[in-house]
Amino acid sequence: KIEALIEELFVSEEGLETQFVLVPSLQDAVAEWVYPQAPLTDRLANGGKEFDFPGAEGIENGTLGLQHTLKSDGSRRIHCVSNPSTFRINEIVVGVSSTDTVFHISTDEANANLPPGTRMTRIAQHLIQQRSYYPLFPPAPGVSLDLRQKDKWSMPCQPDLLIVPSKLACFARTVMDNTLVLNPGHLSRGTTGGTYAVLDVHPMSRDKLEAIEDEAEINHDVQNRVRVEIKRI
């Protein structure tokens, strides 16, 4: 379980303040296979039960095991969210969908005479302009949409950071002036290692914050204060 790896990290790095956000995938065996997906949760309401056979000591069935990673004050260090999901980290609004919407749009889109290097940017624009994490109907083969829950894959606002993992080429682009769209790729490609992304978001300058009038609204300007590095495994 990934929980065991995370728990080992917290044990080896005492005082670690890192928090994790887990987003389910349509390819997960332990998650619902209909889009949109509910957050990962325990299958058994009262916790898991240990397997009763040799070699399975300490392995629980029916639970994610996340209760072992709580802080001493009971607060969570691992957050399970839906797919797709919109959440906020400090002032930054983050949108994420683990379904490969970018690839699905690319297979259905017709285009011609495009400026070089603009295809990925334009595909990402569809999501933001239509305020939807899955602006396709009918869906791509293999994707089961629950149309009764169509409001759950709408974007409540334009995110500062939009994370859309895809099998297409990795990229990080500024789209529609204020949104950084990131495709970190997948951790594995068949039997070989894949890619992942490391983001460093720098704080706003003190001079800019001190110049703000009370209750004034300002642009988060994330695309100009973030460093993205895509690494290969």
Side-chain angles (χ1 to χ4, degrees):
K1 291 182 179 181
I2 189 173
E3 175 274 333
L5 299 176
I6 296 177
E7 183 179 5
E8 181 181 350
L9 177 63
F10 284 128
V11 171
S12 61
E13 297 287 343
E14 187 176 354
L16 184 67
E17 294 295 330
T18 301
Q19 299 189 35
F20 295 83
V21 178
L22 300 184
V23 183
S25 168
L26 292 176
Q27 299 179 1
D28 286 339
V30 297
E32 300 292 340
W33 51 273
V34 177
Y35 191 84
Q37 293 176 286
L40 295 170
T41 185
D42 291 344
R43 294 290 184 179
L44 300 178
N46 296 323
K49 298 181 179 179
E50 291 191 7
F51 289 107
D52 187 18
F53 56 85
E57 293 81 5
I59 300 178
E60 294 180 326
N61 178 35
T63 177
L64 298 175
L66 301 183
Q67 67 274 12
H68 303 305
T69 61
L70 297 175
K71 289 184 177 181
S72 57
D73 60 1
S75 60
R76 294 180 179 273
R77 293 188 286 194
I78 301 178
H79 308 272
C80 294
V81 299
S82 60
N83 174 35
S85 182
T86 305
F87 54 92
R88 189 175 66 184
I89 303 176
N90 294 334
E91 80 282 2
I92 300 174
V93 178
V94 181
V96 59
S97 177
S98 62
T99 303
D100 199 345
T101 309
V102 174
F103 176 73
H104 297 166
I105 293 176
S106 70
T107 59
D108 283 353
E109 186 187 49
N111 55 73
N113 302 320
L114 296 176
T118 62
R119 181 167 175 261
M120 293 295 100
T121 301
R122 192 190 63 261
I123 290 176
Q125 280 182 340
H126 291 307
L127 282 75
I128 300 174
Q129 288 176 333
Q130 299 184 50
R131 289 292 195 272
S132 173
Y133 287 103
Y134 201 87
L136 282 174
F137 188 83
V143 177
S144 298
L145 290 182
D146 186 353
L147 296 179
R148 297 171 301 177
Q149 305 292 334
K150 56 183 175 57
D151 292 340
K152 298 293 181 60
W153 66 75
S154 63
M155 289 185 187
C157 61
Q158 180 175 343
D160 298 308
L161 173 63
L162 178 60
I163 304 175
V164 282
S166 173
K167 65 175 66 176
L168 298 180
C170 302
F171 66 87
R173 305 274 177 84
T174 299
V175 178
M176 294 184 65
D177 298 328
N178 297 321
T179 299
L180 177 68
V181 180
L182 170 64
N183 168 23
H186 295 149
L187 284 175
S188 63
R189 291 180 177 271
T191 59
T192 61
T195 56
Y196 65 97
V198 177
L199 283 80
D200 294 310
V201 181
H202 300 280
M204 293 184 181
S205 66
R206 182 182 297 273
D207 293 340
K208 182 176 181 179
L209 293 175
E210 291 178 347
I212 299 173
E213 298 180 358
D214 293 341
E215 299 184 0
E217 294 185 0
I218 62 171
N219 194 325
H220 294 163
D221 203 27
V222 172
Q223 72 279 3
N224 292 325
R225 55 189 182 94
V226 65
R227 178 179 181 269
V228 180
E229 184 177 3
I230 296 177
K231 298 185 176 182
R232 184 175 300 277
I233 297 177

